[in-house]
Amino acid sequence: MDERPSATADLLSAVFWMFFGGAIVYGAWTMDRLEYMNINPYTVPGLVPGILGVCIAFMGALLLIRAVRAGAPKLGDIVAERPGRRVEIVRVLVAAGLCLVYAAGFVGHGLPFWLVTAGFVTAFIFVFQFPARRADDTLLRGLFVALLCGAATAAAVTLVFQEIFLVRLP
Amino acid sequence: MLEGLALFSRSIANMMDPLTLLYVGMATLLGLVIGALPGLTATMGVALLTTLTLKMSPDMAILVLICTYVGAIYGGSRSAILLNIPGTPANAAACLDGHALARQGLAGRAMGISTTGSVMGTLIGMVFLAMFTPLLGEMALKFGAYEFFWLAVFGVVVSGNLTGNDPLKGWLAGFAGLFIATIGQDAIHAYERFSFGNRDLAGGIQLIPALVGAFGFAEVLTVMKDAVGRPAIHSFDSVVPRLRDVLVYWRTIIRSGLIGTFMGIIPGVGEDVGSWSSYAAARAVSKERDKFGKGSVEGLLAAETGDNACVPGAIIPVLALAVPGSAPAAVLLAAMIIHGVQPGPLIMVQNPGFVYDVVAMMLFATIGILFYGIFLVRPLIKVLQVPRDIIMPIVFVLCTIGSFAIAQRLFDIWTMLAFGLIGFVMRQLNYPMAPFVLGIVLGDLLDKNLRRGLVLSDGDLTPFFTRPISAVMVAIIVFSIMMNFASARAALRSGLARFGAALGRRGI
Amino acid sequence: MLKSIAYGIAAVGLVLFAPAAHAQWKPTKPITIIVPWAAGGSTDQVTRVTAAELETHLGQKVVVVNQPGASGSIGTKNALEAPKDGYTWTAGAAQDLGTYIVLGMLDTRLSDWHLFLNVANVAVVGVNPATPYKSVKDLLDAMKAKPEQITVATAGVTSAGHNAIEAIARATGIKYRHVTYDGGNPAVIATVSGETEVTTQLAVEQAEMIRAKRIRPLAVVGDTALELEGYGTISPITQELQDFKAPANYFGIFVPKGVPAEVVQTLEKIWAEKISNSEALKKYAASRGALFAPAYGADAQAKAMPAVQANAWLMADGGKAKVSPDTVGIPRP
């Protein structure tokens, strides 16, 4: 949070909140009122989500007004390319991709937990150290370090969670 | 009072043997580890140990549980300071100043401050536990549906106000969190809201996976984003808690201790709200207000004193009424009952010694965290020197297993991933995470108590505003919202000036 | 020759020892009991006491995992879907287990489970001591005089407390104002603090407050009196309402059918020989106002069914059932 997002970004998120709040209000309004169960009308399930939806949409509107006063939408905000932006996006996508593949794709789908974990940690370290290692010509060493960390993490996590905290690992 | 002191010293004397001290050491350490690992919380630690200690004598078992509880709340600040990931929901406020201090190379100092805060907080709460248990326990009964409703609103408004630099976005995040909490079966009619027919969603979004995702996974992505890594932080400052901090900030410590104890007593509200309210109060009256969020000693001290003072606070209604003041205290209560100790209104009559036993256990736990605060912290700081390429995948593995560990179902891992991605995007857009997560904690309280209050009053809104505690809370909420507007501040200032002038004219 | 003798001995050995080895189950890894309610509640407490007893007799760790949510149906579902190797059990009230199917929450019947019951709980009508109601009659008269005015605290629509007050309402035609809380204990506390006037939660949840005279018990919702340690006798509601019926609510540990036979046999043996003499459980029950009621097998099914019937038909009559109880083998009581 070192840099503030542009007014245009605020405008977009404000629009999102207004839609989100509106969708909640709609969902709450059309929600079953459970009249056939003879419930007390003050306890209808949609009451609180409805109020929250109104609040969210209202605050979204405030944010919208603020963003417009600050000059949004500005074409420059969208077009302006900060140097290094692209590298950042690639890095985030790679990190998120590795994490998702590990946690959603492999964990709990048959393979033993320690193996998947060792593989994930090794791959993560190796991938992110790859550019620097290649520049220094220490790729093999990098792979070794990554493998070692992966194995150590897998062993420690399995031991601690399975034996001490008695968690049945996925 | 003297009789109490005698009972207290007898309790201490009874427990003073090498085996006890060994248990204290082990249990506090285990609590610390559980607290520091994101996903494993004090509640889970105490529940796990309840089963493992069933064969011990009741005194020993309860001692172990209390040490674990205190250790976990203290331990959660370790990961908050070092990694910017709160180890338990209670430590979200400690991230703000704690991690800022660590970034400035003052990690040791920050941990020392959190040790000071935790020790002092526990001690203050302990004094109240020892002296006013029956009296304060009754206070828990003063909180009805109307008060709980406002408490939930209060938590989100205050936290939204404090984190980040944009209150409007803080509140938006907080209200989004409140909404998230309403997903799944509603607590009154078991009606499925916003679950779209999905059985897992019908069970609701669990807090811990959401917390671990929004703070943990999102932090992993944020750290990995920068092309150039942050320089490794070398921290050689002393980790030993300083007596000077206590002397300089004694007002903050006592105030936070009182607020924390009070929040602990209120059932259903735990360490998280205790820590936020202490932090808010400290900022409101601080002379170094601008430093809050950027590495303020006072802020970190307030947060950490506030959450640890909650622990004895939460045990007060357990002993006085058999009503738990927080989620871990609920498990502790169950453990006491299983071990044949029946807390409740009769405990002062039937078993007065037990209250002082608990106070003595608290004291042992405090000594335990002080011990580890001095001797165990230095190795922990080494974490800061591990390159991010290596530490971050390990953190993520812990996030994954931590979300899974509590209920052992895969859906919780998916929740963690989803909230990590949402959290990352929100952080990029300058929306703070803390009110979002606190919203998820408090949403249930808000939902049930608003509707319950309406049922009780038969649709009448006036009790929400006229009951004394409600009225005070409404005033605080309105005040803290209004203070964000320059015009309101000016009006207040001129109003005060006019008031002062009027007083002056009358010669007062 | 020697070889064939050896084979012969081995064969005899197999025949002789195989059934014995079959009957005695020796778990090789920790067993998980899923408690589908929050840690610290009444199911959680009694399950942890029972788990400790089982641990001694099985020689293996028994881990209690709390998976609360959706009135206990999520944790129960996970136990049902776990591998049928005998290492995942669940716990709770048999009447909940039997009515999930009626509510459309889970497709499982009571007969799909091996029930190992430990205690039975009864509901008690308790009032705040500051209220003027000294007897069930006072309360019922007041409820008739002021319909929908008198507040009754329960743990929600599927709770034992709500079943109790609904049954009373059916029997007498009274109307009350239903206020729901997160669990039995919060409902009782609301009555102690005066937020509500009446609670009809389980005796277990009111015991301590009754002893401390913070709640005045008016009657047991059932036909037998309850002896509460440190208080005395609470008389049954049938003294006032003669033909009132409320079956007891049995709690226990549930093992899904389809697990290896030796698991069930071993558990039945432990229940017959150890649990039915368990001092720890007896002590727990006596101090909490519960009835110590160990049962297993067909006996347990027979004991648990009346409460399931009562509960399921209450839901059906209240419009809350998605499936009619008689289509899933739950006849009207």
Side-chain angles (χ1 to χ4, degrees), chain C residues 205-332:
Chain C
E205 289 146 345
Q206 300 189 44
E208 197 48 28
M209 290 302 169
I210 291 174
R211 260 176 251 162
K213 306 208 169 17
R214 304 293 293 268
I215 276 193
R216 184 189 309 134
L218 300 184
V220 172
V221 187
D223 51 12
T224 33
L226 179 73
E227 288 293 332
L228 183 64
E229 215 177 77
Y231 172 79
T233 313
I234 306 171
S235 54
I237 198 166
T238 43
Q239 286 189 353
E240 180 67 35
L241 307 167
Q242 270 76 17
D243 25 314
F244 183 84
K245 259 190 260 162
N249 185 359
Y250 285 88
F251 282 64
I253 284 172
F254 313 134
V255 182
K257 286 205 171 149
V259 298
E262 68 260 28
V263 175
V264 179
Q265 283 161 11
T266 307
L267 274 173
E268 286 181 345
K269 194 156 166 274
I270 292 176
W271 237 259
E273 291 168 10
K274 312 287 186 199
I275 296 293
S276 47
N277 301 312
S278 161
E279 282 309 314
L281 268 171
K282 276 184 195 162
K283 212 177 107 205
Y284 173 82
S287 69
R288 307 290 301 158
L291 305 166
F292 176 61
Y296 61 91
D299 179 32
Q301 293 279 351
K303 278 185 167 153
M305 202 56 194
V308 175
Q309 285 171 284
N311 195 1
W313 281 97
L314 206 61
M315 303 280 173
D317 296 341
K320 285 160 197 142
K322 295 219 171 89
V323 179
S324 174
D326 44 10
T327 60
V328 289
I330 306 175
R332 191 180 272 278

Side-chain angles (χ1 to χ4, degrees), chain B residues 47 51 54-55 138 141 144-145 185 188 199 203 321 323 331 334 337 342-343 345 407 409 448 452 455-456 458, chain C residues 39-40 45 48 52 56 62 67 70 73-74 77 105 157 177 179-182 189 193 195 208-209 212 214 288:
Chain B
T51 314
L54 272 178
K55 294 283 149 55
E138 294 300 314
L141 293 179
Q185 282 195 339
I188 297 184
R199 179 120 282 277
L321 292 171
V323 176
V331 187
I337 293 171
Q342 177 58 62
R409 49 181 201 154
K448 280 181 299 210
R452 192 178 296 148
V455 169
L456 285 165
D458 211 8
Chain C
Q45 286 172 21
R48 283 181 198 269
T56 326
V62 179
Q67 294 186 347
S73 68
I74 290 182
K77 176 173 178 261
M105 297 169 105
V157 280
R177 191 184 299 171
V179 188
T180 57
Y181 291 84
D182 307 348
I189 290 302
S193 74
E195 187 165 283
E208 197 48 28
M209 290 302 169
R214 304 293 293 268
R288 307 290 301 158

Side-chain angles (χ1 to χ4, degrees), chain B residues 167-221:
Chain B
L168 183 60
K169 287 186 174 177
W171 297 330
L172 268 167
F175 273 76
L178 289 174
F179 166 71
I180 299 278
T182 66
I183 294 177
Q185 282 195 339
D186 96 284
I188 297 184
H189 304 294
Y191 178 80
E192 289 179 16
R193 295 188 289 204
F194 305 104
S195 66
F196 307 105
N198 182 312
R199 179 120 282 277
D200 283 314
L201 265 185
I205 302 289
Q206 299 300 308
L207 164 69
I208 296 304
L211 167 90
V212 170
F215 281 103
F217 185 25
E219 178 72 15
V220 169
L221 293 179

Side-chain angles (χ1 to χ4, degrees), chain B residues 363-499:
Chain B
L363 186 66
F364 278 111
T366 314
I367 296 169
I369 57 175
L370 189 60
F371 174 84
Y372 290 116
I374 294 172
F375 294 106
L376 191 80
V377 166
R378 180 114 319 265
L380 276 178
I381 293 186
K382 297 257 184 304
V383 167
L384 288 175
Q385 288 155 30
V386 180
R388 59 175 179 160
D389 304 328
I390 293 178
I391 193 86
M392 285 304 146
I394 299 176
V395 168
F396 183 72
V397 168
L398 291 176
C399 290
T400 308
I401 185 72
S403 331
F404 179 78
I406 295 193
Q408 312 198 356
R409 49 181 201 154
L410 286 176
F411 178 71
D412 288 337
I413 295 186
W414 306 335
T415 307
M416 183 274 290
L417 292 172
F419 277 82
L421 296 175
I422 296 171
F424 176 73
V425 172
M426 282 173 70
R427 278 169 70 156
Q428 294 304 307
L429 295 171
N430 200 21
Y431 289 92
M433 280 298 98
F436 184 55
V437 171
L438 199 63
I440 302 179
V441 177
L442 297 174
D444 195 39
L445 206 64
L446 177 103
D447 178 30
K448 280 181 299 210
N449 285 296
L450 175 62
R451 294 190 284 162
R452 192 178 296 148
L454 287 172
V455 169
L456 285 165
S457 69
D458 211 8
D460 185 2
L461 286 176
T462 43
F464 281 94
F465 300 95
T466 53
R467 286 174 48 122
I469 301 178
S470 297
V472 171
M473 291 175 71
V474 174
I476 297 176
I477 292 167
V478 171
F479 180 72
S480 53
I481 295 176
M482 293 317 281
M483 286 316 280
N484 285 297
F485 301 104
S487 51
R489 272 202 300 271
L492 181 77
R493 216 171 291 134
S494 74
L496 279 178
R498 229 175 291 146
F499 183 62

